[in-house]
Amino acid sequence: MVLDNDFKQAQRRVDELITLLDHYSHEYYVLDRPTIPDSEYDKLYQELLKLEEMYPTLVQQDSPSQRVGGTLLPGFEKVEHDLPMLSLDNAFDLDGLRAFDKRVRQLVDGEVEYECELKIDGLAVSLKYENGKLIRAVTRGDGRVGENVTGNVRSIKAVPLKLKRAVTIEARGEIYMPKSSFIQLNEEREEQGEAVFANPRNAAAGTLRNLNPQVTASRNLSVFLYSIVQYGDLNVETQSDALNSLDKLGLRTNPERTVFQSIEEVWTYIEEYQNKRTSLPYEIDGIVIKVNKFDNQEQAGYTVKAPRWAIAYKFPAEEAKTTVNEIEWSVGRTGVVTPTALMDPVHLAGTTVQRASLHNVDLIKEKDIRINDTVFVRKAGDIIPEVVRVDFDSRSKETEPCQIPTQCPACQSELVHLEDEVALRCVNPKCPAQAKERLIHFVSRNAMNIDGLGEKIIIQLFEKQLVQDVSDLYRLNKEDLLTLDKIADKSAENLLNAIKNSKDNSLEKLLFGLGIKHVGAKAARLLAEEYESIENIKRASLEDIQSIEGIGEIIAESIVAFFELEAAMDLIDKLKSFGINMTYTGVKRQATINTDSYFNDKTVVITGKLEHFKRNDLKEELTLLGANVTGSISKKTDLLIAGIDAGSKLDKAKELEVSIWDEKRLLKELSE
Ligand SMILES: [Zn+2]
């Protein structure tokens, strides 16, 4: 038999696609280090499905279409799911959704309702509760067999160990890392010379699969549950009932869900969240659409791979193309030397981008980024610009691999590459760049909060040798300051006042300002509250420090090591001699700020008469959830809570397109 050309061509392409998809799938599932965006993977996968549909004899046993997911990692006990964790079919546009809708309506009797949910970009898990107690947490794995991560999942505070009622159920959902935690984690890792995570999903996966539950506990993962597969005695008839009963059991669900009657309404919801996605505190990569009524779901049924009653709409990847003009190397306060790509300005997801951290040498080599290369950029965690990959097709022949510096760009001392680090480091203790960065950190808002001491002034203070370490700030007088550029009488006085006022700061600000490894603002506050003076912290044992809720072994060890350093003690003595307060003067808080809350970092205004709250109580509650409650509406306002008879503020909020909630919506959100 003579094979026709089209068939032969298809055969070659199928082989090629399977090899490619296996490669990308390995990077994604096994290494947690994808090199292409999901939309690119999906495009290749769709091409494969289409060819396999046209030529069924080309379907291979090991084709990605013949298994539910990726490959398993060694290291955790493997567990078979009682019911497989299926994946969903994807849609990429309105036509795809209309085709889905048409199919559903052919299979289902009567009216169809769709329940829409945000597609959280995290790691799918199945949680099993027996008589209300969490007994097992298993990752999705290949859909049939997952990994037992119960130990780590137990450490996630958003996962209740005990439900509000003694039911036996299995619920599924997505474990994720909030954007703010992701950004903070990467900043810390970069500063410590460790490899950074590409996006919040990889950070969540890396954290969940960490063999040390302490590390998992310290990284602020969270979860949204989105389905029940074993119902116990729950009596539910729709997907929205199911989510409401999860809420009632104390399990975390995403509140942004809605039920619609038509696919056109679904589309407006999709468009709405496509616009809102960057302002959400977690990353989403699409919208999941489910037939709401369970008897309709049954009528629609399943294919081998996926339910016919649900579909995932995937947002298009937000990427832009630009050119790398220069790679800049800068020294941080711990001596880590970090490369930054300087690029032609390009518009990306709402802002203009022209700088992207390249994090470390390994990453430059791995991605082979060179000066004059055309690159694709996107925003990690919807915020931090990053170079995804080089467009090798448009690389000119003249480019050369990026030159890696061997000397510190600030002090010219030899750079070192410590064995367990990805970073290059300047280890010169007198490096002026490090001292400068330490001072910038010391005066920053969460540390000593010295207003008016910007980077330009700090650079001059070093150049004129008025300051060598942070304690020298308190030596400065007006004559010193007047020698600096653009500092007049008045501004010198203001600056001196700000420096003087910082002496009375409560202990936690100083502790954070000292820049002790691993001690962030939160750990500093916990330590200050617990020990109340720097002397007490110095005397505390490792075991004692570790016993504080929220302080792990790593932080505790770092604190003990810091107070054993002679140089650190000298600095503290010097600060003491200038009269800097070394005690805790704040009020002990009963509750701590929940940084994973919807309200975290949101600017909120309350107006009108409230039925369910006293205004001051509500203000305090929102503040503890991380909100900044202010009195007037501006462009910076994220949310208006409008009670009865809300007047001009409501009008202003509408005009500025600020989100508006009534008390009912607020109550629902607060009950999460
Ligand atoms: Zn240096």
Side-chain angles (χ1 to χ4, degrees), residues 100 104-105 107-117 228 231 235-243 258-262 289-302 307-310:
F100 162 75
V104 166
R105 288 181 196 275
L107 295 164
V108 165
D109 299 331
E111 292 295 304
V112 178
E113 278 178 3
Y114 292 116
E115 200 260 354
C116 293
E117 299 165 22
I228 307 177
Y231 285 88
N235 187 14
V236 286
E237 286 174 359
T238 65
Q239 168 66 7
S240 40
D241 282 353
L243 294 178
T258 318
V259 174
F260 297 106
Q261 315 299 323
S262 76
I289 301 120
K290 295 174 180 167
V291 169
N292 194 32
K293 292 180 199 146
F294 288 163
D295 50 2
N296 289 350
Q297 290 187 1
E298 242 166 75
Q299 289 165 345
Y302 296 81
R308 285 202 187 89
W309 45 265

Side-chain angles (χ1 to χ4, degrees), residues 169 177 198 230 258 320 334 406 410 427 449 498 500 555 627 641:
I169 62 157
M177 183 175 285
Q230 293 182 35
T258 318
T334 59
T406 55
V427 291
N449 192 20
K500 185 167 149 263
I555 299 178
I641 292 162

Side-chain angles (χ1 to χ4, degrees), residues 430-440 442-443 450 453-455 457-477 480-481 483-484 495-496 499 571 574-575 578:
K430 299 228 162 2
C431 176
Q434 290 177 51
K436 189 191 90 193
E437 292 300 323
R438 279 198 294 270
L439 188 57
I440 290 173
F442 186 79
V443 305
I450 301 177
L453 204 50
E455 198 170 333
I457 297 178
I458 287 176
I459 290 171
Q460 291 186 66
L461 288 173
F462 275 98
E463 279 170 357
K464 296 193 189 269
Q465 300 197 330
L466 290 167
V467 164
Q468 260 127 39
D469 70 39
V470 299
S471 73
D472 292 330
L473 270 187
Y474 296 96
R475 244 188 255 279
L476 292 173
N477 56 38
D480 294 334
L481 293 179
T483 66
L484 307 179
L495 197 49
L496 284 176
I499 294 172
L571 178 63
K574 267 202 268 178
L575 288 167
F578 288 115

